[in-house]
Amino acid sequence: MSDKPFRSGMLVFPNLTQLDLTGPYEILARLPGSETLLIWKTLDPVRSEHGLTILPNATLDSCGPLDLVLVPGGAGINPLLEDREILAFLRRSAASARYVVGICTGSLVLGAAGLLRGRRAGTHWMSRDLLAAFGAVPVAERVVVDGNVFTGGGVTAGIDVALRVAAEIAGQAAAEAIQLGVEYDPQPPFAAGSPETAPQAVRDAVLARAAPRQRDRAERVARAAAAL
């Protein structure tokens, strides 16, 4: 990395999934010479979907040019799909950023901003099919890289995506040092981390709980895609 700070801008918004944000934040903020901004429309505290409150330190207007722009996911992305201010900010930031990153369903917001046309992209398994509405090529992989666009699967995959980005920025050795520093060596206690391995009853229960949110999301995606 150069002597100039590497400026990462991470969007925060009401009802985001905090690990989509805090996982990548933990990785990218450890890069030497990094400056990591949490960006929203105001500097008021933002409540995540399960109550953790996050304090932005920059606004859409004050953040300045970014080397990396990242959008996390969560239930709160649904309104963002039709938020002209946010979509314009993402288009503006992505035009000069070296890296554009979507974590979990944050990828759909990148799609609504017109940033995924013709690109391979990933997202949470429940929303993966919605990527095609934005001209993206849905990919069922934990980390998906297409040019300078990095996307991935749901929630915990954000750590994997961020490590791949860190390797691009500072080299594999630096990324490996960060991985070791946070002791990222997952050994899950259950084989239920994907729809392919989870018991059918567990999968059915998760889909049933998510059904209202997914219906609303699909409707918003259709309108956002039509507006592109």
Side-chain angles (χ1 to χ4, degrees):
M1 296 178 67
S2 69
D3 294 334
K4 183 179 178 182
F6 185 91
R7 306 185 78 243
S8 295
M10 301 185 177
L11 194 67
V12 298
F13 50 87
N15 294 319
L16 82 160
T17 296
Q18 62 84 14
L19 189 56
D20 286 0
L21 175 77
T22 55
Y25 185 100
E26 188 66 37
I27 301 302
L28 296 175
R30 288 172 179 260
L31 284 168
S34 66
E35 179 184 1
T36 310
L37 302 176
L38 300 176
I39 302 169
W40 183 232
K41 296 178 181 181
T42 72
L43 297 180
D44 296 332
V46 174
R47 185 186 185 280
S48 70
E49 63 185 346
H50 296 300
L52 184 70
T53 301
I54 300 167
L55 189 65
N57 56 12
T59 67
L60 305 178
D61 296 324
S62 72
C63 66
L66 301 170
D67 296 301
L68 178 150
V69 59
L70 180 148
V71 184
I77 69 108
N78 287 18
L80 298 190
L81 295 169
E82 301 177 276
D83 189 319
R84 293 182 181 180
E85 185 180 10
I86 292 298
L87 300 181
F89 165 77
L90 292 174
R91 285 190 287 267
R92 185 169 66 249
S93 298
S96 57
R98 290 170 55 190
Y99 304 100
V100 177
V101 183
I103 304 300
C104 192
T105 51
S107 300
L108 294 176
V109 185
L110 296 181
L115 301 175
L116 296 183
R117 289 191 186 97
R119 292 187 182 270
R120 300 169 70 251
T123 191
H124 192 282
W125 62 273
M126 278 192 279
S127 295
R128 190 181 301 134
D129 60 331
L130 299 176
L131 285 168
F134 298 122
V137 180
V139 179
E141 294 176 7
R142 192 162 173 86
V143 181
V144 183
V145 182
D146 191 326
N148 72 332
V149 177
F150 289 67
T151 56
V155 192
T156 58
I159 298 173
D160 302 63
V161 174
L163 284 168
R164 284 287 298 275
V165 176
E168 289 287 328
I169 296 168
Q172 182 172 331
E176 288 176 337
I178 292 171
Q179 180 179 0
L180 180 58
V182 300
E183 199 173 352
Y184 180 57
D185 186 24
Q187 300 176 39
F190 312 113
S194 78
E196 291 77 23
T197 61
Q200 186 65 45
V202 172
R203 187 171 183 269
D204 290 346
V206 169
L207 287 170
R209 286 196 298 270
R213 181 197 66 211
Q214 293 301 110
R215 283 194 296 270
D216 176 66
R217 181 169 296 164
E219 293 168 0
R220 290 177 183 270
V221 163
R223 292 195 296 267
L228 284 176

